[in-house]
Amino acid sequence: MCLTEPQAGSDLAQVRSTATPDGDAYRIKGQKIFITFGEHDMAPNIIHLVLARLPGAPEGTKGISMFIVPKVLLNADGSLGARNDVVCAGIEHKARHQREPDLHARLRRRRSGRARLPRCEANRGLEYMFVMMNAARFSVGVQGLAIADRAYQHAVEYAKERIQFRDVSSRDPKPVAIIKHPDVRRMLLWCKANIEAMRALAYVTAASLDYAHKAEDEAVRKEHQAFVELMIPVVKGWLTERAIDLCSTALQVFGGMGYVEETGIAQQYRDVRITAIYEGTTGIQALDLVGRKLIRDMGASATKVFKQIGKFAKELEASENAEVKALAQPLADATKALGETAQFIGMSAMATCTKPSRTRCRS
């Protein structure tokens, strides 16, 4: 049995799928594009989690409920019965990831698909969906890191093997591996430095995820959960955007051979592009960070993070290693600038919410 992610319209505030009570179940009408593996023969049944509106539901995102829509209906004894009225309306032809079919599904309007409301409250579908969504966004950020790291390793191996031009620091006329050339080394070192930063951010957030679920002290769990919620849009947004730049730079190391399919780097360049799109585009991550995470607790979680970074900057300043010590002031300056920026964004958003307007502000 296969489970697909909650499906909704492109604008969650305007979900067009509607649910009508039908005995102990519901009839859902609507359609959804981009359902990964939403139709296949690898499992006897596929269970779709669908977002739809009940009659009389509140406006906006607060009126969205979550429903279970099976591809094949179940009999009273749990065995597979008749095919539900949910059909594949088409397969999308994508720029990449052709091995993962994305389909356009339709719950037909003539005979709407049968669904059930799972053991959760009506009109809280979006809230439930974000339990999955936050985990998925973190995973996609790590996916971007993984593809970027693979592209970097690929570029390093190629740079060690590709012989071209003599060493500029030597009078030896013999050509050398391009990894000895300053510009190639610059690109590879830039990739390596960014991958280390990306991995560190992912590790710190993953550790807090563990603490948020497993710590014995409830206060500790809440503290780490607040940190995780603050960092999820950063992990998703920054890691994927930086991964795109990194794969582009890795391809640059190959030169013209980067555009030759046999080298494989072109595939990594194409594969990484989707990571900044699905499970919420980079712009959506920015809205989540500013509109929800910074304002929700009046910036308390962000302020705590800034203080921790500032404390670490002081530890660097106290180091006896001159190279380590040199990192302290730039980090302190960057942290101060980040704090001031976050404060400006928060104050501006709060001022907007307090102005008389027909548009409601959502935290």
Side-chain angles (χ1 to χ4, degrees), residues 5-6 127-143 202 205-206 209 213 225 228-229 231-233 235-236 278-280 285 288 293:
E5 69 275 15
E127 177 184 344
Y128 298 136
M129 187 197 72
F130 266 99
V131 175
M132 177 281 300
M133 186 67 76
N134 281 330
R137 287 176 173 177
F138 177 79
S139 297
V140 172
V142 174
Q143 179 187 3
T205 306
L209 269 169
H213 286 92
Q225 184 62 36
V228 167
E229 292 177 357
M231 297 308 298
I232 286 292
V235 170
K236 169 61 167 71
Y278 61 15
E279 305 300 351
Q285 305 311 311
D288 182 35
K293 309 306 170 56

Side-chain angles (χ1 to χ4, degrees), residues 38-337:
E39 179 61 271
H40 55 77
D41 298 324
M42 295 183 292
N45 202 359
I46 300 173
I47 305 299
H48 301 281
L49 294 178
V50 175
L51 298 181
R53 291 185 181 280
L54 286 165
E59 294 294 329
T61 57
K62 294 182 179 180
I64 299 173
S65 299
M66 181 181 289
F67 298 86
I68 294 176
V69 180
K71 171 184 173 181
V72 180
L73 297 172
L74 299 182
N75 296 318
D77 61 358
S79 62
L80 296 181
R83 173 70 187 257
N84 199 6
D85 198 31
V86 52
V87 298
C88 173
I91 302 289
E92 305 306 323
H93 300 282
K94 300 171 292 182
R96 197 56 191 168
H97 290 280
Q98 303 294 353
R99 60 192 177 276
E100 296 179 359
D102 272 350
L103 65 85
H104 177 185
R106 180 176 294 130
L107 294 155
R108 292 185 289 193
R109 295 186 180 279
R110 289 180 301 170
R111 295 178 298 149
S112 50
R114 286 183 61 81
R116 290 187 179 277
L117 195 66
R119 293 181 180 179
C120 56
E121 296 180 25
N123 302 327
R124 296 182 64 186
L126 196 61
E127 177 184 344
Y128 298 136
M129 187 197 72
F130 266 99
V131 175
M132 177 281 300
M133 186 67 76
N134 281 330
R137 287 176 173 177
F138 177 79
S139 297
V140 172
V142 174
Q143 179 187 3
L145 164 63
I147 300 174
D149 197 3
R150 178 66 186 93
Y152 162 68
Q153 294 180 39
H154 200 165
V156 169
E157 292 304 313
Y158 179 80
K160 290 178 179 178
E161 298 172 357
R162 173 63 168 155
I163 306 299
Q164 184 72 33
F165 305 124
R166 68 179 182 86
D167 186 351
V168 296
S169 63
S170 171
R171 294 185 178 182
D172 190 339
K174 294 181 180 180
V176 297
I178 63 173
I179 198 170
K180 293 183 177 294
H181 298 320
D183 189 53
V184 173
R185 295 179 70 86
R186 174 190 63 79
M187 289 188 286
L188 292 175
L189 286 171
W190 180 87
C191 290
K192 181 178 177 62
N194 277 276
I195 286 171
E196 291 299 323
M198 294 161 69
R199 182 176 288 113
L201 181 62
Y203 279 167
V204 169
T205 306
S208 280
L209 269 169
D210 289 343
Y211 279 114
H213 286 92
K214 299 297 183 180
E216 295 181 358
D217 190 333
E218 183 180 357
V220 173
R221 292 199 301 271
K222 289 183 177 180
E223 178 181 343
H224 282 279
Q225 184 62 36
F227 175 77
V228 167
E229 292 177 357
L230 176 70
M231 297 308 298
I232 286 292
V234 180
V235 170
K236 169 61 167 71
W238 184 68
L239 262 63
T240 56
E241 289 288 348
R242 186 46 55 98
I244 294 172
D245 295 338
L246 202 146
C247 288
S248 176
T249 301
L251 187 148
Q252 187 76 12
V253 172
F254 283 74
M257 292 302 294
Y259 260 61
V260 177
E261 288 294 339
E262 293 178 3
T263 61
I265 190 67
Q267 175 183 336
Q268 292 153 18
Y269 183 49
R270 289 193 300 271
D271 283 353
V272 77
R273 187 63 185 85
I274 187 61
T275 61
I277 297 175
Y278 61 15
E279 305 300 351
T281 63
T282 303
I284 294 298
Q285 305 311 311
L287 289 173
D288 182 35
L289 178 63
V290 174
R292 290 191 178 95
K293 309 306 170 56
L294 286 180
I295 300 176
R296 182 182 56 186
D297 59 0
M298 305 294 289
S301 297
T303 300
K304 189 168 186 176
V305 173
F306 301 152
K307 288 182 178 180
Q308 290 175 335
I309 299 175
K311 180 181 178 181
F312 181 64
K314 292 180 180 180
E315 293 176 1
L316 296 179
E317 179 66 32
S319 174
E320 297 180 358
N321 186 310
E323 294 181 351
V324 173
K325 188 181 182 71
L327 299 173
Q329 194 58 48
L331 178 60
D333 293 341
T335 305
K336 180 181 178 181

